[in-house]
Amino acid sequence: RDFCLSRGLGDVYKRQKHLMESSQDMARFYNNRLRKDISFMSELGSCKSPVQGATVWFRAASEAAHDYADQFDRVMAITLNGAASE
């Protein structure tokens, strides 16, 4: 019985650790994206022409899509590593 209880608590610890890793990674991602978005808005506000604005907007959209794809890969890796260790 003690073995089962000990093992159960170990599983809870692993799941909790996995959840914390995922949460910390997402918090870092959103913090970095927010900084980039603020910078983008500042840069967009200083554009002198619609063409310049479109260029900034398309670059920002491309960077955001790349960042979200990378974050998805990281979350999947964390999730799969957590599932494999259980």
Side-chain angles (χ1 to χ4, degrees):
R1 179 169 186 230
D2 290 335
F3 173 75
C4 291
L5 181 59
S6 175
R7 182 171 178 194
L9 291 176
D11 289 344
V12 169
Y13 171 76
K14 288 177 187 174
R15 287 188 182 105
Q16 195 71 3
K17 183 180 176 202
H18 174 258
L19 179 64
M20 291 302 295
E21 287 175 7
S22 297
S23 297
Q24 288 173 344
D25 191 66
M26 289 302 295
R28 275 191 297 273
F29 170 74
Y30 286 127
N31 187 34
N32 290 336
R33 276 302 323 151
L34 182 59
R35 288 177 192 209
K36 288 179 180 182
D37 289 344
I38 290 169
S39 175
F40 153 69
M41 293 303 290
S42 176
E43 189 177 351
L44 190 62
S46 66
C47 290
K48 305 285 189 226
S49 71
V51 171
Q52 194 179 23
T55 301
V56 170
W57 190 88
F58 284 121
R59 182 178 43 78
S62 175
E63 286 179 17
H66 185 267
D67 289 349
Y68 277 99
D70 285 348
Q71 181 62 22
F72 177 78
D73 290 343
R74 277 195 303 277
V75 168
M76 290 305 295
I78 291 170
T79 301
L80 293 175
N81 287 337
S85 66
E86 292 178 5

